[in-house]
Amino acid sequence: MNPRATVQRGERPSKGRARTFHFHLLAAGLAVAALVVLAGCSGKGHHGAQRSGAPVTVAKAQQRDIPVEINTIGNVQAYSTVNVNARVGGELIKVAFKEGDDVKKGQLLFQLDPRPYAAALTQARAKLKGDTAQAENARADVKRYALLIQKDYVNQSQFDQVKANAQALEAAVDADKAAVRQAELNLGYCTITSPINGRTGSLLVHEGNLVKANDANPMVVINQIKPVYVTFSVPENDLGEIRARAREGRLAVQVKPDGDDAKSYSGTLSFVNNQVDTTTGTVMLKATFPNQEEGLWPGQFVNVSLVLSEMKNAVVVPSQAVQTGQKGTYLYIVKPDKTADLRPVETGPDHDGVTVIKSGVKAGETVVTEGQLLLRPGAPVSIKNEAGQEDRGE
């Protein structure tokens, strides 16, 4: 054997053989890695493909009767407001109510000291009595002088003097009667009663104070809050339709207190102002509400809905389903194959969280209410159920 052709144990192989050996090892490693990757991908199977659909929340388009209405902001006003003042001056000896009390018409509110006015009434009656006696005597004198002048016992001048004296006393009696009536009124004014049914405000005077007649500051303010008014303004462009509908019958008005949409109160339109405000281009309207539950309070701001008519069997969708783009309003429909379809739509009025769809969607179709940003026409979707999990259509 040729010793040059053998490789002795312990000797290093040549560089060419080492490179070939390392290349084969690298190729085998890459092949194994590729098999592992393919096996992992094939392990996902059918369920992995289904998870690629965009998660969305949906609702059904429905048919419903929807009121056609004008929405605006209004302000509650008392049906009537009375500033209670004293008509005569004097010492306040009694307050017959507490601040914030409900009072009835004719109920006692204040009592002034009546003694000075009772004395004035007695004096006026006494004067009337004295002047009445003198007037009766003067009338008797006129009768006597009328007989005497016929017999020429007195001259005409004397007779005329007696007649003038009698007429003066008659006038004095009339003045005394008026003074008595005024004294009676003043005495009655010492008792101050409520002119309306309503609720009292802050008490501005207390027992022991001296009250001035017809003072600029009222003793108390009473607001009638059953019923109440709600005033609001609408654009002048709506005035024609409002007047036309009002001629057909009373228009319903719904209000909700600002910040409390859970409560709603019903009333009727009762007043349309006789001119348009030229500075704002609006007209002021007023509605009346029974307010038996006292849910509306003077000065309160409310959301007003003036109902003009009703759309029968209108197709509606949740308002959040409607989107606005460069080409107008649209929404996404989920087709039976669980893919999305973009639909341009013509919308109508909104009411209670839904929007009327005039064209583009039919009742019963499934519309996307959340997740529109993840969609495009033809994209697969996966529908979330109420528990927040995905419905994959399995």
Side-chain angles (χ1 to χ4, degrees):
M1 179 178 296
N2 188 357
R4 295 182 180 178
T6 62
V7 178
Q8 299 295 328
R9 186 180 300 274
E11 292 182 353
R12 297 180 61 185
S14 66
K15 293 182 179 180
R17 289 182 178 182
R19 290 175 180 173
T20 302
F21 179 75
H22 288 300
F23 175 78
H24 287 301
L25 288 177
L26 179 61
L30 291 175
V32 172
L35 290 175
V36 172
V37 170
L38 289 175
C41 292
S42 62
K44 291 183 179 180
H46 177 65
H47 293 289
Q50 286 183 341
R51 289 185 180 274
S52 62
V56 296
T57 302
V58 299
K60 293 287 187 181
Q62 300 177 348
Q63 280 189 316
R64 193 184 301 177
D65 294 342
I66 298 296
V68 178
E69 56 192 19
I70 299 173
N71 297 310
T72 184
I73 301 297
N75 183 253
V76 181
Q77 293 183 350
Y79 191 77
S80 59
T81 299
V82 175
N83 294 332
V84 178
N85 288 86
R87 294 189 178 185
V88 294
E91 180 185 356
L92 181 61
I93 62 174
K94 183 178 182 180
V95 177
F97 68 96
K98 295 180 181 179
E99 294 178 317
D101 278 355
D102 289 321
V103 294
K104 300 294 185 180
K105 183 177 181 179
Q107 179 178 332
L108 177 64
L109 299 178
F110 302 99
Q111 180 67 58
L112 301 180
D113 186 0
R115 291 173 297 177
Y117 298 98
L121 176 58
T122 300
Q123 182 179 6
R125 286 173 174 171
K127 189 173 187 306
L128 172 62
K129 187 175 182 180
D131 288 345
T132 301
Q134 292 185 24
E136 290 176 354
N137 184 58
R139 285 194 293 270
D141 287 344
V142 171
K143 292 179 180 180
R144 288 194 296 270
Y145 271 75
L147 294 175
L148 293 175
I149 197 172
Q150 292 177 2
K151 297 179 180 180
D152 293 331
Y153 292 157
V154 295
N155 58 35
Q156 186 66 37
S157 176
Q158 291 174 316
F159 179 65
D160 291 341
Q161 181 64 38
V162 171
K163 287 176 58 178
N165 183 54
Q167 291 174 351
L169 288 172
E170 291 288 349
V173 169
D174 291 338
D176 291 340
K177 291 179 179 179
V180 169
R181 287 194 294 269
Q182 184 62 55
E184 291 173 342
L185 285 175
N186 291 340
L187 181 59
Y189 290 153
C190 293
T191 301
I192 302 173
T193 60
S194 176
I196 61 172
N197 297 331
R199 175 161 293 192
T200 59
S202 298
L203 181 61
L204 303 180
V205 292
H206 299 273
E207 293 181 10
N209 287 332
L210 289 176
V211 177
K212 295 181 181 180
N214 301 314
D215 194 355
N217 297 319
M219 302 172 72
V220 71
V221 178
I222 301 176
N223 283 333
Q224 184 176 357
I225 58 177
K226 296 179 184 179
V228 292
Y229 287 128
V230 172
T231 60
F232 56 97
S233 296
V234 298
E236 59 180 315
N237 295 336
D238 296 323
L239 181 58
E241 184 175 3
I242 291 172
R243 295 184 62 195
R245 297 290 183 181
R247 284 192 291 267
E248 298 173 0
R250 306 189 73 175
L251 294 181
V253 181
Q254 300 287 331
V255 300
K256 295 181 179 180
D258 193 19
D260 188 4
D261 291 338
K263 294 183 179 180
S264 178
Y265 301 93
S266 300
T268 55
L269 185 67
S270 54
F271 172 74
V272 178
N273 201 6
N274 59 1
Q275 65 179 7
V276 175
D277 188 340
T278 57
T279 60
T280 61
T282 60
V283 59
M284 191 269 285
L285 281 67
K286 187 181 292 186
T288 305
F289 293 79
N291 200 34
Q292 294 301 316
E293 299 178 356
E294 298 184 0
L296 301 175
W297 213 248
Q300 182 181 23
F301 286 97
V302 292
N303 297 311
V304 180
S305 296
L306 172 61
V307 182
L308 298 179
S309 60
E310 190 174 55
M311 299 177 66
K312 296 291 186 180
N313 296 322
V315 177
V316 297
V317 299
S319 297
Q320 63 266 31
V322 181
Q323 306 291 306
T324 303
Q326 295 180 350
K327 297 183 179 180
T329 54
Y330 67 93
L331 49 74
Y332 276 103
I333 296 291
V334 177
K335 297 191 294 186
D337 62 355
K338 294 293 180 19
T339 59
D341 183 25
L342 188 148
R343 295 276 186 89
V345 294
E346 181 183 359
T347 60
D350 297 334
H351 178 73
D352 271 350
V354 297
T355 299
V356 173
I357 304 299
K358 295 182 177 179
S359 63
V361 174
K362 297 180 180 179
E365 290 190 294
T366 302
V367 300
V368 177
T369 57
E370 292 183 10
Q372 294 94 328
L373 295 178
L374 303 175
L375 299 180
R376 57 179 176 78
V381 300
S382 87
I383 301 172
K384 294 182 178 181
N385 58 21
E386 292 182 356
Q389 299 177 353
E390 295 180 353
D391 177 10
R392 302 183 181 85
E394 295 179 351

